[in-house]
Structure formats: structure tokens, C-alpha cells
Amino acid sequence: MAKKAPQSAAKPKAKTKSTPRAKAKAKVGKTAHRQFSGPMLDGPDRAASRAMLYPVGFETEDFSKSIIGVASTWSMVTPCNMHIDGLAKESVKGVNAAGGKAIEFNTITISDGISMGTEGMKYSLASREVIADSIETVVGCEGMDGVVAIGGCDKNMPACVMAMARMNRPGVFVYGGTIRPGCHDGKDVDIVSVFEAIGKHSAGEISDNELNSVTATAIPGPGSCGGMYTANTMASAIEALGMSLPNSSAQAAISDEKLMDCFDAGAAVVNLINKGIRPRDIMTRKAFENAITVVTALGGSTNAVLHLLAMAHAADVKLSIDDFTRIGKKTPVLADLKPSGQHVMMKLVEIGGTLPLMKMLLNKGLLHGDCMTVTGQTVAENLKRVKPTYPKGQTVIRGFNNPIKKDGHLVVLYGNLAPEGAVAKISGKEGLQFDGTARVFEGEEKAMKAILARKIKKGDIVVIRGEGPKGGPGMREMLGPTGAIMGQGLGKDVALITDGRFSGGSHGFVIGHITPEAFVGGPLAMVKDGDQISIDAEKREITLKVSKKELADRQKQWKQPKPNYTRGVLAKYAKLVNSASQGAVTDADL
């Protein structure tokens, strides 16, 4: 016997945070109907499907509505995601209020901060593919018409967007929000403060008690790492891409604004279904150029290169590492944000978020205003009433007449050491050239041991290899070594190069993503202790100073090492993954 029809869901409960925009979308959402021929369609041949869904809260009339998956990355594994279960419930309310029917489901996430510097970190980049695959699997299997995906840490965020691009069903991404900074001795601290305190501790500059005090205060509650590290970088990129609601990237994890954002996102998906707007209508090449522009202006993480390439691949958009160079030549760095700058993300939130910056970039002709977004309007329409100004006296965002750096900080270098490219984050504070002597380490652990033992000296270039997508496998982040180098006061005197990658919290003279990687016989595998290496960020060159003949002789003697894993997730990842210069995706050659 059919259940009694519920009362109208058009009005959320009193405690639900709603906005005029959400209410407007709720009105148009009443006409939403099923779009995809999944197992939940109404009809006699779907009686078994209906029987399975009555127990989870469906009423008879729900089977004719748009079914919206709410993909939650909630987990107690990390503070980045510990609050997302509550955010997902707000999106469920938004979907239902707009006339759709929400089904909440979960996927995994990992913690870079906990696994950093360990063997476990090899699962980090691989988790991006696992998460994207899992969301695609659920949305595809259950025949969902649209999806709200809520992410709160480095890899689950691009993974959510990759899954939406693959399925090409109306969707909105929601960022879980930034953490509020911790406080130690009256100063803002975060996870990177801990890694740099480790370096200071090894140099004898701080005591055990001081290190423990920083550790205990750095992470005060829920939310993603608080600087312009990878999570906040990717949130900003996804907003600029058009796949999240305006200012979604610049909200605190625990705030009324974030609750309203989640509710609005649920309603927005129903609106997108009604308008027939799908992710690939939004995720165009020009939209990716907008994302690169905003990442550059904010001084974002090098991981944005990997993730934007992967997201573009999922959307079938041609994007290359050279696009970052092209856009960087005309886009200045305007944000004075950690790790290279002085402010945490909450300072940007407090002065108005990303929208005034985007309006500044639009007015300067650096953004494509005609790109569609998940609001159902273009970038220019979203920014129409936004003023291109921040409060007087603020020091977070500079004007075009006084940039942090006149051109982009994400520098792609080529040369005999990186014939397929490498990626550096050059703020200018660490210099633009570095010539030094190679100190070669097979893997992060050996390098870290030498750094903490004070064996790395001024003029050294630390070479960490065997950390590429296939070789690691998994392309671990080198936050431990870079943090220790900075903590020892060697940030301007020591360079670090690797076929691995860097945390958004890394800074200093560091070059990653060296391709081809050492494991496949790239030139990095041929470097020996004592070799001279030259890095020129202005010429965008990285050069191993040995002759072509010597390099060829070393190549002939080289033998590929045995893989570190032959079974399970990492073995499958190593077999399928492509080069970092192409996004390190696992479905490129299928």
C-alpha cells in the first residue's frame, strides 16, 4: 500500500538557513522531472526499485521527481571533512525544497596532513581517482539526474568535479570551507607552522615544549588547511570554473554562510536540470582559463596544475601545462596569502572573499565574462552588482599597480633535466635563479633524514627521485623536506627538485613534477651526487650541466627499478597512470 503523501517540501524547517536565491529556485523547481533512464523510473517494470526506496524515505510522488545524489565526503579521518555530514543534510533540504528528491551517499577521503612523510602518502593522489570513480559509480548505477558533491580536502575536491564532468549530469560542487586559524603566542598558526617548527626544532631554535605547543594549537577545529594551500586553491579554481556558487570558496567551514551555500547548491541543481545546463556546458576551455587566472592572482598551489589538467581531461577539454605559462605572463599575483605571504584564508573571507577580486580581473579583461556557471547565469552576470574594491586599509589583496609579483608564480620549466616540463612555485622572494650542487636521494625518507641531521648546506640542490606517479607510486608531497629546510633558515640557500609534488604549504626554491619521471628513465634518474644544476625561472629552464655524451652513457647503464607494489590499489594506479605533465590520470589510454 502506498504511503501517505508528505506535506509540501517547498518550505524548509525554521532552522534551515535559506536565502532569497534558494527560495526563487525552489519555485521553479516544482516542474522538475526525471532525465535519465535509471533503475528508479516510475512504471510497472520498476516496482522492485520502488520497493527498495520506500524504506529510505521515498513517497509515491517522489518517483516522478528529479533524483539528485548528494555526494558527501564526510569522515572523521581528517578535520577537513569532519563536519561535512551536516553540510550534506543542508543540501538535501535544498534539493527537496526545490522540488527534487535527494539521496545522500558517502565516499572515502584521506588525510594528507596525517600521512605526510610516510608510505601512506603514496595513496594520496591515487585517492583522487578512487573518489571520482566511486561518485561516478553511484550516480551512474542509480540513474541519478544530478548531483551535489561536497568536498573538503585536497584530492576529494577535484575528484568530485572529475566525476561530474564524466557523467555530464547537472551538478554543483560545494566546498566544505576553510578552517579558522589557530593561535600561538598571539600569531596565526596552521599545519604548515608545525612542519616548519620541526625544522626549527632540528636546528635547536625551539624547545620540545615549544614544538608541542605549536602542534597542539595549529588545528583548532573543522575545515581545510587555512592558507592558500591546495584545498583553498582548488575551491577558488572550481568557483572560477563556474562549478560552485559565487563566493562558495571563501567561507568558513563553521558558519551560517556555508550552511546557506549548501542549501542553495541543492536548489541550484534542480534549476540546472530545468534549464538543461550540464557540466560540460560550463567546463569549457575558456572556463579553465578563468580558473587558471584566479589561481594565479591568488598565488595558489602547484597542485592546481595537476588537478586542472585532470578535470579538463574528464570534461574532454584540451588543456596543457603551457597554458599556465601563457596565462601567467599576463596575470599578476595580487594576494598576500600563506605560505609565501602573511595572511590566512580567513582574512580574505573577512574582507569580502573572492568576488571583488574576480570583478577586478573581469574589468581588466583577464576573465571571460561570457562563461556559463551553475547559477544559470554567466560570470559577468554573477558579478554585475559586485564592486571591484576591498575595504580601505586591508593588506590581503593588492591592486594592479602594486602586485606581489607582476606575472604568474606557477612557472613551467623545460631543459635537459625536464624535457616534458617541470612545475615551480616562484613568488620572487626566494630569487629567480639558482645554481648548485646535486645531493641525490632515492625517496623522501632518505632526504628528510639528511636534512634533519643538518647534512644539507648552502648551495646544495636536494634531488628527491623515485617519487613520480608510477615510481612512488603516487607522487608524494614533499612538505616535510621543504618545511624542514625553511625551518632551518635555508629557504634562499638550498633548492629542492623532485619528480614528486608539493603540498600547497610548501615554499622556497622548489621544483616538482619533473617529467619524464625517474622510474621510466627520465633524465632525473641519471643525476649523480656532485653534478651541477642550473635553475632559471626567468628563462624557464632547468639544466643538468653534463654533456650530451655523458648523459647518453648514463642512460645506457641505467636499469629500471622493480615496482614498489605489485598488488592492490597502488599497483593498479602505477600501471594505469600517465605523466604528471598530463594530469596523472588513469583513464587516458583506455
Side-chain angles (χ1 to χ4, degrees), residues 465-518:
R465 65 189 178 197
E467 294 287 2
K470 288 184 177 293
M475 213 177 175
R476 287 191 291 183
E477 294 179 342
M478 301 294 130
L479 181 56
T482 60
I485 288 170
M486 294 300 296
Q488 291 178 0
L490 295 172
K492 294 182 179 181
D493 300 319
V494 169
L496 187 151
I497 67 174
T498 180
D499 52 5
R501 60 195 174 92
F502 296 110
S503 162
S506 291
H507 57 124
F509 212 109
V510 296
I511 293 91
H513 308 201
I514 292 180
T515 54
E517 62 176 287

Side-chain angles (χ1 to χ4, degrees), residues 120-342:
M121 185 64 187
K122 293 181 177 180
Y123 286 90
S124 173
L125 189 57
S127 78
R128 186 188 71 184
E129 312 304 302
V130 174
I131 295 164
D133 290 350
S134 69
I135 295 173
E136 176 191 344
T137 298
V138 175
V139 172
C141 179
E142 303 306 319
M144 293 171 173
D145 300 297
V147 61
V148 177
I150 309 173
C153 198
D154 297 12
K155 309 310 168 300
N156 58 54
M157 298 167 67
C160 288
V161 178
M162 289 164 66
M164 288 190 282
R166 291 178 189 173
M167 298 305 293
N168 202 29
R169 301 179 186 185
V172 176
F173 174 76
V174 176
Y175 176 40
T178 186
I179 196 171
R180 297 180 186 275
C183 183
H184 176 72
D185 284 346
K187 296 180 180 179
D188 289 341
V189 290
D190 55 24
I191 187 63
V192 176
S193 305
V194 180
F195 282 98
E196 294 185 3
I198 293 169
K200 293 178 180 179
H201 182 264
S202 72
E205 294 181 17
I206 62 173
S207 66
D208 291 352
N209 287 340
E210 180 77 359
L211 175 59
N212 290 336
S213 181
V214 174
T215 303
T217 57
I219 310 293
S224 298
C225 297
M228 189 46 64
Y229 311 143
T230 304
N232 283 315
T233 296
M234 291 314 302
S236 303
I238 294 167
E239 180 185 331
L241 186 67
M243 286 300 295
S244 61
L245 294 173
N247 234 22
S248 176
S249 65
Q251 295 167 337
I254 303 302
S255 64
D256 287 347
E257 290 78 14
K258 183 48 64 181
L259 292 174
M260 288 188 280
D261 181 46
C262 293
F263 185 92
D264 286 358
V269 174
V270 178
N271 186 47
L272 290 170
I273 290 173
N274 292 336
K275 290 179 175 291
I277 299 172
R278 302 191 186 191
R280 294 192 189 186
D281 299 323
I282 296 169
M283 297 171 66
T284 63
R285 179 172 170 80
K286 290 201 297 184
F288 277 100
E289 291 179 346
N290 283 349
I292 294 171
T293 297
V294 170
V295 166
T296 302
L298 288 169
S301 165
T302 54
N303 278 316
V305 178
L306 272 179
H307 296 327
L308 286 171
L309 289 173
M311 290 156 57
H313 170 75
D316 201 23
V317 170
K318 291 184 179 180
L319 198 71
S320 79
I321 55 174
D322 297 327
D323 288 313
F324 289 82
T325 298
R326 177 176 56 81
I327 293 170
K329 287 181 178 179
K330 60 182 180 180
T331 306
V333 178
L334 300 177
D336 191 10
L337 293 167
K338 288 178 176 285
S340 299
Q342 60 177 322

Side-chain angles (χ1 to χ4, degrees), residues 438-450:
R439 296 290 309 279
V440 181
F441 299 95
E442 306 293 342
E444 178 184 4
E445 287 85 356
K446 292 180 180 179
M448 190 67 171
K449 185 176 180 180

Side-chain angles (χ1 to χ4, degrees), residues 415-418 433-438 461 497 523 526-536 539 541-551 554:
N416 69 344
L417 195 50
Q433 289 91 24
F434 196 101
D435 290 273
T437 304
I461 297 181
I497 67 174
M526 313 309 150
V527 181
K528 294 183 178 181
D529 267 331
D531 282 347
Q532 296 301 299
I533 296 173
S534 175
I535 305 164
D536 191 321
K539 293 182 179 179
E541 294 177 351
I542 180 167
T543 306
L544 176 63
K545 293 186 175 181
V546 301
S547 68
K548 288 183 179 180
K549 182 180 183 303
E550 172 65 17
L551 196 57
R554 293 182 188 182

